[in-house]
Amino acid sequence: MRRRSTLKNLLVAGLAIGLQAAFAQTAYPAKPVTLVVPGPPAGITDQLARLIAHKLGEQLGQQVIVDNKPGAGGNLAAETVAKAAPDGYTLLMGTQGTQATNQYLYKALRFDPDKDFVPVHTLISIPNILVVRADRPYRTVKDLVDAAAQQPGKLTASSAGNGTGTHLASEQFQTVAGVKFVHVPYKGSAPSIQDLLAGLIDLSFDYPASTLAQVQAGKLRALAVTGTSRLPALPQVPTIAEAGYPQAESTSWIGLLFPARTPAPVVERMQTEVARALQDPAVVEAIGRMGGVPLALGGARFGAFVHGERARWKATIERSGATVD
């Protein structure tokens, strides 16, 4: 009798778990979902957030609300989501900074980028473009490296700020090429590129969204793209590997994460919907206009990718001595 009772209890418990999972799949979401964005309105992270929020809203049948929380390199947004209820109604637009590099740039974080989140799905991979002013004599990456070798510590490289992807891409390249630039950090890509155009800076590793129009207008010259493939908008510009520096490949990326302990059925539902959204031709085209490509890594693959990125950028940051506070 005791065995029958135990078996009955196990069957009931199993049935309850199955029903709970089925309910989560069919009933979720029952209200709007908030997508917390670690950047201001109009930036590329915000543009992507609004694109994905609109598409997910259509697919889920519930509004996805974009909540901009800029500041501290994305740490304010990440902390907000880390402390949110793990009920599937608060998502983080996580970046290379919030999930992989900030822990090595800031003295202390009020969240754990590994333990406080569960990865849902990546969204986009964005390369940097190595650009110089069009009237400068550098026509290839080798030209630039030769000039830097002949004038150690003379060429200036601007960035969107200490510890940003634009800064770290430059540091990675310098390590691989064996040259040294003078780093000039700005508060964002716009002033950085403005001074490059004005001739006050020699070079920059910035995003397509900030440089592409100036390259196409003939004001900047693109020497290389740091991603693994050429940009469709600049088919004549080689990758950094094609230019002779494969170990200098680097990209920035963005993905979605829930707070830790969010129920697995909810995470799986969102993974499915994000993967579906990234297959929409209109979404793919919009991501292309941002200078990126869809990055399709869900769940455990996303988690493994982030761990690899942490190891890689930790080494670069330690070599460069980069710090934010």
Side-chain angles (χ1 to χ4, degrees):
M1 290 295 292
R2 184 175 298 174
R3 288 182 179 178
R4 289 181 180 178
S5 177
T6 301
L7 179 60
K8 180 180 178 181
N9 289 338
L10 288 173
L11 290 173
V12 170
L15 180 61
I17 292 172
L19 289 173
Q20 182 183 18
F23 176 78
Q25 289 282 4
T26 57
Y28 172 83
K31 61 181 182 179
V33 176
T34 297
L35 176 56
V36 181
V37 179
I44 189 169
T45 309
D46 176 73
Q47 293 175 39
L48 179 63
R50 294 180 189 280
L51 172 70
I52 293 299
H54 177 73
K55 189 61 183 176
L56 289 178
E58 290 181 342
Q59 295 175 188
L60 292 168
Q62 285 286 352
Q63 186 179 10
V64 178
I65 302 168
V66 173
D67 181 13
N68 297 92
K69 286 191 179 298
N75 292 340
L76 295 181
E79 182 183 354
T80 297
V81 176
K83 295 180 178 179
D87 56 7
Y89 290 97
T90 307
L91 267 171
L92 173 66
M93 187 72 119
T95 66
Q96 174 185 318
T98 62
Q99 305 310 124
T101 62
N102 284 0
Q103 60 189 308
Y104 309 119
L105 292 164
Y106 290 79
K107 292 179 181 178
L109 298 181
R110 290 186 287 186
F111 64 91
D112 187 318
D114 186 33
K115 297 179 181 179
D116 289 345
F117 303 94
V118 55
V120 177
H121 206 288
T122 51
L123 297 173
I124 189 174
S125 174
I126 309 169
N128 299 82
I129 304 178
L130 169 54
V131 288
V132 297
R133 215 167 83 151
D135 61 358
R136 293 300 169 92
Y138 322 119
R139 308 200 71 84
T140 66
V141 176
K142 186 177 184 304
D143 290 342
L144 184 66
V145 170
D146 288 345
Q150 293 167 10
Q151 308 172 68
K154 295 292 185 181
L155 296 186
T156 53
S158 65
S159 78
N162 282 320
T164 62
T166 62
H167 175 204
L168 297 180
S170 175
E171 294 292 346
Q172 178 82 355
F173 176 78
Q174 291 173 69
T175 297
V176 172
V179 296
K180 184 62 180 176
F181 304 137
V182 177
H183 177 222
V184 184
Y186 287 79
K187 293 183 178 180
S189 289
S192 166
I193 298 304
Q194 183 177 1
D195 274 7
L196 177 64
L197 289 166
L200 302 176
I201 296 295
D202 293 306
L203 65 115
S204 188
F205 285 78
D206 216 308
Y207 305 120
S210 305
T211 59
L212 190 56
Q214 303 295 347
V215 172
Q216 293 172 330
K219 296 179 180 180
L220 293 179
R221 178 181 297 128
L223 301 184
V225 176
T226 64
T228 58
S229 60
R230 296 191 180 196
L231 285 178
L234 298 174
Q236 77 283 7
V237 178
T239 65
I240 202 74
E242 290 172 332
Y245 302 92
Q247 292 180 315
E249 286 182 350
S250 64
T251 57
S252 294
W253 48 267
I254 300 172
L256 299 179
L257 303 100
F258 275 130
R261 297 177 298 282
T262 298
V266 170
V267 176
E268 291 164 5
R269 173 74 192 280
M270 189 62 75
Q271 286 173 353
T272 299
E273 297 302 335
V274 174
R276 179 182 163 198
L278 291 178
Q279 294 175 350
D280 185 280
V283 172
V284 174
E285 181 182 356
I287 288 176
R289 289 197 300 269
M290 297 175 192
V293 294
L295 184 58
L297 299 172
R301 292 177 64 205
F302 183 10
F305 171 76
V306 172
H307 279 284
E309 286 287 280
R310 286 176 187 151
R312 175 189 183 190
W313 289 115
K314 179 177 185 289
T316 297
I317 290 167
E318 289 178 345
R319 283 196 303 268
S320 70
T323 184
V324 176
D325 60 2

